[in-house]
Amino acid sequence: MAKCEVCDKSIQTGHRISITRSQVSRRANKIWRSNVKRVQIVEKNGTVRRAKVCTRCLRSKLVTRSV
């Protein structure tokens, strides 16, 4: 299971709903997987390590990516 090490985002579950004639006719189980990448990050003390981080944390600059 992919899980972000910064925000703990992981798999979310729910229902895929099939609508026929403006009424709910069926519900099927659905899994939404988070977009987690394995990247090298720089920690606060300056060490570089690999971590699984979601793309939202990368985009919002919650982690510093190593070059």
Side-chain angles (χ1 to χ4, degrees):
M1 176 176 80
K3 188 172 187 179
C4 179
E5 294 182 17
V6 178
C7 65
D8 290 334
K9 184 189 286 185
S10 62
I11 292 175
Q12 293 196 356
T13 59
H15 294 288
R16 181 186 297 128
I17 297 175
S18 172
I19 298 175
T20 306
R21 295 185 184 172
S22 73
Q23 293 179 353
V24 175
S25 60
R26 277 192 196 124
R27 289 189 180 151
N29 292 332
K30 169 97 171 101
I31 295 175
W32 287 274
R33 291 182 174 88
S34 56
N35 192 4
V36 175
K37 305 290 183 189
R38 190 164 182 233
V39 295
Q40 286 186 338
I41 61 170
V42 179
E43 292 183 334
K44 293 181 181 179
N45 58 5
T47 60
V48 177
R49 71 176 183 97
R50 285 189 182 266
K52 292 180 180 177
V53 182
C54 68
T55 53
R56 180 161 291 217
C57 291
L58 286 173
R59 188 178 66 193
S60 61
K61 309 273 188 200
L62 291 176
V63 294
T64 307
R65 196 169 180 174
S66 175
V67 178

